[in-house]
Structures are given as C-alpha cells and as structure tokens.
Amino acid sequence: MATCPRGCTPAVRLCQKLNRLKTLDDDMMATSLKRCLSTLDLTLLGVGGMVGSGLYVLTGTVAKEMVGPAVIISFLFAGIASLLAAFCYAEFGARIPKTGSAYMFTYVSVGEIWAFLIGWNVILENMIGGAAVARAWSGYLDSIFNHTIQNFTETHIMQWNVPFLAHYPDLLAAGILIVASFFISFGVQVSSYLNHIFSTISMAVIVFILIFGFMLAEPVNWSQKEGGFAPFGLSGILAGSATCFYAFVGFDVIASSSEEAKNPQKAVPIATAISLGLATAAYILVSTVLTLIVPWHTLDPNSALADAFFRRGYSWAGIIVAVGSICAMNTVLLCNLFSLPRIVYAMAEDGLFFSVFARVNPVTKVPVIAILVFGFLMACMALIFDLEALVQFLSIGTLLAYTFVAASIIVLRFQPERPSDKGTASTSPNPNAFPSPAPSESQTIAEDSGELKQYESFSDKLQLVERQKTRERRGVGQLKAYWEPYLDKLLGDCEPGEVVAFCVLTLIVTSVSFCVVLEFGEKQLQLPLWSYTMLLVIFSLAFIVSLALIWVHEPQANTKTFQVPLVPLTPGVSIIFNVFLMMKLSLLTWIRFTVWIAIGLFVYFGYGIWHSKEGLRALQPKDMAARYVVLPSGSLVETVQPVQPEGQVDSSPHPTSPPTAPPAEDYTGKR
C-alpha cells in the first residue's frame, strides 16, 4: 500500500472525521423518550402534516392559475412522486427507530458532516413552515372578521415598511405558536390528543365538502364552454404537479416520531402508506368537487372552497369550511412544533449541537428546552416576517433532505453490515468494515464432505483461500454470481460497497447536470440544439449505467422490516425528481440557502466536530483483534493484539504469538 506523503495526514484525519458514521447500539428500542404512539397516532400525525392549508388554498390557486380542472391529475402525479420519497423514509423509520428523521438516516449511512447539514436545513424548514402556517392561520381567521385584527394592530400598535418584513407585527400568529409550544411541552400524549381532535374535525369537514359538493356539482364546468378539462395542456399539468408536490410535505413527521412509537417496525410503514393514501385521495376528490361547483377560472385563490359555497348561496357551508380550514392549519402547526424539537434533540444527543437541547424532562419524557426555545424563535419569525418571504425559502431544505435520504437507502442496502462497538448491531453499514470473524478450525479446514482435513501442502492452502474468495464475492456489496464472468476483471478488486458508493455519487452528479441542462440549457445557457440534445443523452446514459452497476451487486437480504421496492430504481427516480424541483427555485432562494449553509458550517466546525460523540468514541481504548495463524502442522494458534487505525504501526510485542509462525495463513476478526 502506498504511503501517505508528508503533510497529507491532517487532511486525511479531517476527512475521516467529516465522514464518520454513527454507531448504533444493539438495543434499537432503548430510548430516554416515551414509546406510547400507536399506528393510529402516527397515521393521524401524517395526515395532519399533509392535509392542512394546502387543501383549502393550494387547490384553488393551482386550478385557476396553472392547470384548470386537470388539477386532479397534477395531484395524482405529485402523490406518486411523494410516494417514492415516503418509501425511503418508511424503510429508515422501521429499520432505525430513532428520532431525527433525515438527519439520523444520513448519519448512519453517508457521514457526519452531511448529516449535520441536512439536520441544519431541516431545522430551518420546520421553523419557516411553522411560522408560515401561523401567519396563514392568523390571516384566515382575520379575514373571517373582516380584517379587524389587522386594522387594530396597524392603528393602535405599530406598522412598518421594510423589505421582506410584514407591514405590521402579527401578534396573533406569534401568540398561537407560543400557546401551542406550551401544550406540546406537556408530553407526546398531549400532543397526540390535540392532533386527534383537530384531525377528526378536519376530516369530518372534508367528508362534508365531498358529499355536499357532489350534490352541487355541474359537469358543464368541465366542458369546452368553460375552457375544457385541461386548458393549459400537458405542460400545465406537469407544472402544477411540481407545485402540488409541496402539499405532501409533512409525512416525515412519522419517521421523526419512530423513537416514540410502540412498534415502529410495523407502525411506521403502515402509517406512512395510509396517511399518504388518505392525503392523496383528499386532494384529488376535493379538487374534483371544487372545479365542478363553480367554473375553474372564477375561483378565489385565497379561499377557494369557502368562496365557492358562498357563491352558490350556501353561506352556512362556507362557515363550516372555514372552521375545517382553521383545524387543518392547527394540525400542521402541531406537526411542525412536534418534529422540530426532536431533530434538535437528536443532533444535541449526538454532540453535534448544544448539549442543553438534549435534556429530557423526567416527567413528560420530551425535550422541553428544545420545544420552548425553538417555539419562541418560530414565534419571532411569525411576528415580523411576511408570509410570502417565508414561503419562498420553504422548499429547498426539504428537497435536499429527500435527495439525501434516497441516496442513503441505496448506500445502506448495498453496504456490508459492520459490528458496533458494543456488539453486532446490524443497522449501521460502513464500507470500511472489518471482515467477519475468522471461522473456527473445524470450519476453516473442513471440506464439502464435512470431514476435517490436515493441510498437507501449500497448494492445499491456496485452494482453501480461493474457495473462501469465491464465497466472499457473494457477500453484500459484491458482484452477483451471474455477472462475475463479465465484470470481475473490471470491478472485482474493489472493496464491498465501494462501487455502489461511487455510483450513488455519480447518480447525484448526473441528476444535477441533466436538470441544469434541461432547465437552463435553451434560454439562460443558450446552447445549440445539437449540444443541448447531446448533453441530455450523455447525462441520461450515465444515470442509467450507474443504476445498472448498482443493480449487479448483492443487496442486503433483510426481511424483518419494510424495504423499499425496486432498489435502486425507486430512490434513483426520487433523486432526479427532487433535483429537478430544486432547479425550479429562484436565485434568491439559493442565495439564502448558501448563507444558511455557511452559518451551519460555522456552528459545526466551532462546536459540533469537537463534541461529536462518535469522535469521543474514537478516542476510547482500541478494540482487540483475534489473529489466527496456521502452523505447518495444520493447527491454528490464536494471538491477540489491539486494532490500530490506518496509517499507524503497532510496534508493541505480542507475548501470545508463537516465536516462529510462518506467514502461511492469516485470518483476522474483531471480537
């Protein structure tokens, strides 16, 4: 092995620190939180996180301005795209039932720095999402009372004209966040109980809208007289799908709650599937009713459903819809305040964020300090920032988290399992894992007939080594037996999982390149048609070849928990779809994202990297390794020595080693 030139060792050590993986304990169910959530609780949390203000506002906006009655197809496409990401979250939530969601999933499969950045962005996304919903809740309630609250605040309290800030402080939005944070700090059961109440009312109102709405439906509103079913064509449907995709953001609250679920292995996948199915059905059916009650081009984007019933002469129905809208917004608000402190808690528990946020109240079994502090920060954002300024920055962190979770699924599926420091936890893969422990003497030198055989010559030993290599190639992350004759010369020398990790990186790079050319190639970059087409073909082929190279390797055979189907295709499609949506975001959003990332790196290198528990674990006494040496007589002699990190040479003597052990056979295993 080539030696590292002078001066590169600090860089190598830094790289190892940045990419170290989280070590999981043997008992995945052990937690300082309270496991009390059932499948129904998780399902209602997921429904509450997805079916909120979008059902009452987004449906009318997309139908009038982008799609028309074909908004139902846009929601169907968006629901399918969301299902790809939801599959990935469901597998991780069932396999690793720990709080932290995308942060935790990235930490156990990709590396520490990437996990921190994902968690850092998810924190901001939840803060912005909660503040935006609180502003929408306040504005909707204020509109019912003819903007009395706004007029009173501007007249008797204060108002200002500052870019990106609201015209007046929204005391109602800030107040509802503080009150909600106070209730959530009482414990997960109180939060679940409140969510049950608001979700039940919201779903009852949705059922009322569907029944009464179909009674008022007029099919003529879909006729050519009113513009037809799809007045904006296929391009409008696809553009509407990209917007409708954000309506389903919120299902990750289920994965965030897996550490508080009674049976996360079964509850998380079931709750994810049911909640996403219910949300998709609700959006499609409500959109159908809305565009059949009144012509789509006459909808009020701000309060489409309530206005539709008012215009048909049923003002009492409009009031019921308004009550349902308020309750739906409450569920989204609770979900944001519920998941945000748990992500902060997970990062603090790992030492990457300030340890004060890892304190769990011994009575309520929730991180009270994290709940109250970040609830207060969220209230401050809702108090002073404008709703539009908040929404503009709402999507990029979520899409980035979806992308990394999808990539982590591929990495986790094709990486060999590694033993933890406390045992053999089968949930934290590492491409640099130690080989499995050496077999016993009877296993090592047994023939296929089951009889023991004495080593008689060096050629016998070579045959044994070749047989072992053949068996090892069937391991996780290695080439499948069928493809060995064709690809062994090209990929046979790679470590298990090494090719897959490189292909996952290629998937992300080619997805970004393809989407950049597709989105900006003709207008901003002004590429000639031949160049535009050639680049799309090249990046498409690179994407497909990367998927194929991943597929020819052996995956993990885990049948105990839910697994994403059609890996690597399902997460691969999810990656390219998420990247495409990120390319649709404005330049100002990317600038804000860059600034937030810079702040996060300052926090990580100033605090997280020095207090990381994985870093402290590496400073503990080294583990011992058992080394089996084959003597000329055919017997095995065991030696014990400490495992040394790469780049270090162990010069200490080994008293248990035989003085004259020939280098014939050498098996090393962690114990």
Side-chain angles (χ1 to χ4, degrees):
M1 183 174 64
T3 58
C4 181
R6 182 184 299 273
C8 77
T9 302
V12 172
R13 290 177 179 173
L14 177 61
C15 185
Q16 291 175 345
K17 287 182 179 180
L18 297 181
N19 291 281
R20 55 196 171 199
L21 304 181
K22 179 177 175 60
T23 302
L24 296 172
D25 296 334
D26 289 334
D27 187 3
M28 296 291 293
M29 297 296 288
T31 176
S32 58
L33 304 179
K34 185 177 182 180
R35 290 194 178 275
C36 59
L37 297 178
S38 64
T39 303
L40 177 62
D41 297 328
L42 294 178
T43 301
L44 291 179
L45 277 174
V47 172
M50 288 182 281
V51 182
S53 57
L55 186 71
Y56 299 90
V57 179
L58 187 64
T59 50
T61 302
V62 176
K64 181 176 182 179
E65 300 178 358
M66 304 179 70
V67 187
V71 65
I72 60 177
I73 301 179
S74 295
F75 274 116
L76 178 62
F77 287 168
I80 295 173
S82 299
L83 185 63
L84 301 178
F87 273 151
C88 300
Y89 274 82
E91 174 172 337
F92 268 121
R95 189 169 181 176
I96 307 173
K98 296 293 183 180
T99 191
S101 189
Y103 156 77
M104 179 63 66
F105 307 154
T106 306
Y107 202 174
V108 300
S109 55
V110 179
E112 184 172 285
I113 181 65
W114 312 107
F116 177 85
L117 293 179
I118 290 297
W120 185 249
N121 280 284
V122 171
I123 288 174
L124 181 64
E125 292 297 307
N126 279 273
M127 290 179 63
I128 292 177
V133 172
R135 294 283 306 196
W137 183 93
S138 172
Y140 202 94
L141 186 64
D142 193 23
S143 64
I144 296 177
F145 297 101
N146 198 24
H147 301 287
T148 303
I149 301 174
Q150 177 182 350
N151 295 332
F152 178 83
T153 304
E154 291 180 343
T155 304
H156 297 89
I157 300 179
M158 65 179 302
Q159 61 175 322
W160 53 66
N161 292 314
V162 181
F164 304 112
L165 297 183
H167 296 298
Y168 65 97
D170 197 334
L171 299 176
L172 184 60
I176 189 62
L177 283 169
I178 292 176
V179 172
S181 300
F182 180 73
F183 277 107
I184 288 178
S185 65
F186 285 149
V188 62
Q189 288 180 315
V190 175
S191 305
S192 179
Y193 181 71
L194 290 174
N195 185 69
H196 282 201
I197 295 175
F198 292 127
S199 295
T200 302
I201 297 174
S202 177
M203 288 188 289
V205 171
I206 291 173
V207 172
F208 165 78
I209 292 172
L210 296 179
I211 295 175
F212 193 57
F214 276 116
M215 292 173 60
L216 300 177
E218 296 180 354
V220 70
N221 291 326
W222 283 10
S223 65
Q224 290 296 330
K225 178 182 177 182
E226 300 292 345
F229 179 73
F232 296 92
L234 180 62
S235 60
I237 293 176
L238 295 178
S241 298
T243 303
C244 293
F245 178 80
Y246 302 118
F248 297 96
V249 171
F251 61 80
D252 57 330
V253 69
I254 299 175
S256 299
S257 310
S258 60
E259 191 167 341
E260 293 161 286
K262 295 178 182 177
N263 186 8
Q265 286 76 16
K266 292 183 178 180
V268 170
I270 294 174
T272 301
I274 294 177
S275 61
L276 191 60
L278 290 176
T280 304
Y283 278 110
I284 292 176
L285 292 176
V286 169
S287 299
T288 303
V289 167
L290 179 62
T291 53
L292 285 174
I293 294 178
V294 295
W296 61 270
H297 52 81
T298 64
L299 292 172
D300 181 6
N302 296 322
S303 56
L305 279 169
D307 181 69
F309 285 109
F310 274 117
R311 288 169 53 193
R312 291 297 299 269
Y314 298 95
S315 57
W316 58 271
I319 295 175
I320 294 177
V321 171
V323 172
S325 176
I326 294 295
C327 291
M329 292 182 191
N330 285 339
T331 61
V332 178
L333 203 61
L334 287 173
C335 288
N336 277 280
L337 285 170
F338 183 86
S339 59
L340 172 59
R342 282 152 179 81
I343 295 171
V344 175
Y345 161 78
M347 297 176 66
E349 180 71 13
D350 293 333
L352 302 185
F353 205 49
F354 305 114
S355 60
V356 65
F357 297 123
R359 297 178 184 175
V360 175
N361 187 281
V363 178
T364 61
K365 298 294 184 181
V366 293
V368 174
I369 297 178
I371 292 173
L372 297 179
V373 169
F374 282 88
F376 176 77
L377 293 176
M378 198 182 295
C380 292
M381 294 182 67
L383 182 69
I384 61 175
F385 283 106
D386 187 17
L387 178 61
E388 294 182 1
L390 292 172
V391 172
Q392 286 179 1
F393 195 58
L394 185 58
S395 308
I396 189 168
T398 301
L399 293 173
L400 187 66
Y402 287 178
T403 302
F404 267 84
V405 170
S408 299
I409 281 292
I410 303 176
V411 173
L412 183 68
R413 185 71 63 86
F414 289 90
Q415 293 290 7
E417 297 176 351
R418 69 186 178 102
S420 68
D421 289 351
K422 297 183 180 180
T424 54
S426 61
T427 53
S428 185
N430 187 351
N432 299 320
F434 290 100
S436 58
S440 64
E441 182 178 0
S442 61
Q443 294 172 324
T444 304
I445 61 178
E447 290 295 315
D448 295 338
S449 61
E451 298 178 357
L452 296 179
K453 177 188 175 185
Q454 184 78 13
Y455 282 139
E456 297 176 352
S457 66
F458 185 70
S459 61
D460 287 340
K461 302 171 186 177
L462 290 180
Q463 291 176 6
L464 173 66
V465 173
E466 288 301 319
R467 287 199 300 271
Q468 288 179 336
K469 287 183 177 179
T470 302
R471 287 195 296 269
E472 288 174 356
R473 291 193 189 104
R474 306 297 188 273
V476 175
Q478 297 178 326
L479 282 173
K480 294 179 180 178
Y482 179 83
W483 296 101
E484 278 192 27
Y486 309 101
L487 299 174
D488 187 59
K489 291 184 178 180
L490 180 63
L491 306 175
D493 295 333
C494 298
E495 293 291 329
E498 185 178 354
V499 176
V500 173
F502 178 79
C503 289
V504 170
L505 178 62
T506 305
L507 280 178
I508 297 177
V509 173
T510 53
S511 297
V512 173
S513 303
F514 178 86
C515 294
V516 167
V517 173
L518 184 65
E519 182 68 20
F520 307 111
E522 290 184 313
K523 296 182 179 179
Q524 286 84 349
L525 300 179
Q526 296 182 349
L527 295 175
L529 181 60
W530 66 269
S531 176
Y532 176 79
T533 306
M534 183 182 67
L535 288 175
L536 290 180
V537 171
I538 291 175
F539 294 135
S540 300
L541 290 176
F543 185 86
I544 295 173
V545 169
S546 298
L547 288 178
L549 287 177
I550 295 173
W551 179 75
V552 300
H553 288 77
E554 288 285 354
Q556 291 184 8
N558 176 26
T559 58
K560 296 181 180 179
T561 59
F562 171 79
Q563 285 191 314
V564 178
L566 300 178
V567 174
L569 180 61
T570 299
V573 174
S574 179
I575 288 173
I576 197 169
F577 185 79
N578 295 328
V579 172
F580 176 74
L581 292 181
M582 291 173 71
M583 294 298 111
K584 291 282 188 179
L585 301 176
S586 65
L587 178 62
L588 185 59
T589 300
W590 281 98
I591 294 175
R592 293 173 180 171
F593 171 75
T594 304
V595 173
W596 183 249
I597 286 290
I599 298 174
L601 291 174
F602 178 79
V603 173
Y604 175 75
F605 286 105
Y607 181 89
I609 195 172
W610 307 107
H611 296 82
S612 170
K613 288 189 176 180
E614 290 303 318
L616 298 177
R617 191 193 304 271
L619 298 177
Q620 294 176 356
K622 304 297 184 296
D623 296 330
M624 304 301 292
R627 183 176 297 274
Y628 301 91
V629 181
V630 181
L631 296 179
S633 62
S635 61
L636 295 178
V637 177
E638 177 181 342
T639 67
V640 179
Q641 64 184 38
V643 177
Q644 298 294 325
E646 289 188 21
Q648 296 185 16
V649 179
D650 183 16
S651 58
S652 61
H654 309 300
T656 60
S657 301
T660 57
E665 290 285 344
D666 196 1
Y667 305 98
T668 303
K670 189 107 173 274
R671 77 172 187 177

